[in-house]
Amino acid sequence: MKKRSLLLCPPAYFSVKYKINPWMNPAVPVKSSLAQKQWQSLVDACNNLSSSVNFINPAPNQPDMVFAANGFFSIGKKAVLARFRYKERQGETKFYKKWLDYHGYEVIDPNPIKYEGEGDTLLTGDMILQGYGFRSDKESAKIIAAAFPDKKVIPLRLVDERFYHLDICCLPINKNLIYFYEKTFDKESADAIKSHFKKAVAISDEEALSFALNSLIFEQTVITNKNANQFTERVSKDGLKTITLDMSEFIKAGGSVKCLANEIWS
Ligand code: ARG
């Protein structure tokens, strides 16, 4: 595996004030101090697994900025910046751009194409899986392929709006193993997943709905949501360890472990 550090955004302004995915309900309040604790438990777990963790300042009026995975996708010093689908999140782009500029990245701006960073882009070995259909436009795969010509980009179309980002329905471990929620891919995309990985495991509805796949991988350890019981059993049979964290407050916004961390690939 390539070297990787993480970028997270503290949940100082996190809340559910609008509804841009089926999980969000502004009538159900987020418990801010619990969200802060849950986020800190993720930071601690990443530190314990010896990951280098960096932070970007949160911005007032950008309650979803805590989902740092969505801000961009990068390998080395090249980054493709997010251009969010909904106006509610569009203001985040300038903060991520500022962070990338400050840290010396070459920044590719996909505008006017919509693109939501690592929410829809997953790097695994020499492959990049690129989701589209709800948030990122289909054309984003071409932008990613042009930016990272030594990678094989596999476009994957999402069709169930509860799984509006690739990182909640697809978890590649390495070229030998991927977990995915088959029903949310069109046939061609599900077949593409099956043909590119030695073992492609279709998980159950219950696992998918527990945000099991929105996880972070550290060598042989998977950090996942506490309620993903069936999934933790499954991955332990595949020889992986799990750390489970309660992510209840972030699930109210339609996100969990992986969405909170942008993986910075060196
Ligand atoms: N409320 C956020 C949105 O709808 C959640 C984003 C979750 N991020 C993710 N990578 N799945 O945009």
Side-chain angles (χ1 to χ4, degrees):
M1 188 163 140
K2 280 197 158 214
K3 259 191 96 137
R4 174 196 70 177
S5 61
L6 300 171
L7 179 70
L8 280 85
C9 178
Y13 305 106
F14 171 60
S15 67
V16 176
K17 287 204 176 105
Y18 47 77
K19 182 177 174 75
I20 56 170
N21 71 53
W23 303 89
M24 299 176 91
N25 177 358
V28 177
V30 166
K31 295 177 193 129
S32 300
S33 60
L34 184 55
Q36 174 64 43
K37 269 195 207 133
Q38 292 177 347
W39 181 84
Q40 189 59 48
S41 73
L42 175 60
V43 173
D44 293 346
C46 295
N47 278 326
N48 288 339
L49 289 161
S50 327
S51 217
S52 130
V53 185
N54 305 293
F55 302 99
I56 181 169
N57 287 330
N61 307 318
Q62 297 297 168
D64 273 332
M65 194 174 163
V66 69
F67 297 110
N70 303 156
F72 58 87
F73 169 74
S74 69
I75 304 176
K77 280 288 177 187
K78 196 187 262 189
V80 180
L81 185 65
R83 283 289 174 178
F84 291 89
R85 168 78 47 195
Y86 295 112
K87 65 173 183 334
E88 289 83 349
R89 295 198 67 183
Q90 287 169 358
E92 293 177 36
T93 295
K94 61 175 176 297
F95 298 107
Y96 285 107
K97 166 91 165 64
K98 213 168 152 189
W99 189 92
L100 291 165
D101 286 344
Y102 182 80
H103 288 88
Y105 282 78
E106 176 193 341
V107 178
I108 295 161
D109 184 349
N111 197 36
I113 287 164
K114 299 292 182 235
Y115 174 66
E116 297 206 355
E118 285 186 3
D120 280 321
T121 307
L122 297 173
L123 173 67
T124 179
D126 290 334
M127 279 184 274
I128 294 178
L129 309 182
Q130 180 58 46
Y132 69 92
F134 293 105
R135 298 299 185 83
S136 299
D137 286 331
K138 187 173 184 190
E139 294 71 28
S140 60
K142 288 195 194 114
I143 292 180
I144 295 294
F148 306 105
D150 60 330
K151 303 288 176 205
K152 181 174 172 58
V153 178
I154 302 164
L156 299 170
R157 180 165 169 240
L158 307 174
V159 296
D160 176 339
E161 69 165 340
R162 292 171 302 172
F163 303 93
Y164 57 92
H165 272 149
L166 185 68
D167 72 355
I168 49 184
C169 51
C170 189
L171 182 64
I173 305 292
N174 52 45
K175 66 177 184 322
N176 295 320
L177 178 62
I178 185 168
Y179 300 103
F180 74 123
Y181 184 50
E182 185 162 4
K183 290 180 192 165
T184 192
F185 294 92
D186 71 3
K187 166 102 176 51
E188 200 183 320
S189 304
D191 288 347
I193 291 176
K194 290 178 200 163
S195 72
H196 283 96
F197 291 84
K198 215 169 183 178
K199 181 172 164 187
V201 181
I203 64 159
S204 68
D205 296 0
E206 187 185 328
E207 288 168 287
L209 292 167
S210 69
F211 277 80
L213 298 186
N214 195 248
S215 297
L216 278 172
I217 314 290
F218 299 75
E219 313 272 340
Q220 294 301 306
T221 304
V222 181
I223 305 186
T224 193
N225 175 35
K226 179 172 148 249
N227 294 335
N229 297 325
Q230 272 189 15
F231 184 67
T232 51
E233 266 177 47
R234 185 196 290 283
V235 302
S236 56
K237 284 188 192 133
D238 284 327
L240 298 164
K241 291 192 202 109
T242 50
I243 292 175
T244 59
L245 301 176
D246 188 1
M247 289 285 130
S248 64
E249 299 316 290
F250 299 103
I251 288 172
K252 290 175 180 170
S256 184
V257 171
K258 159 64 197 154
C259 318
L260 293 171
N262 194 304
E263 298 175 81
I264 310 273
W265 302 98
S266 49

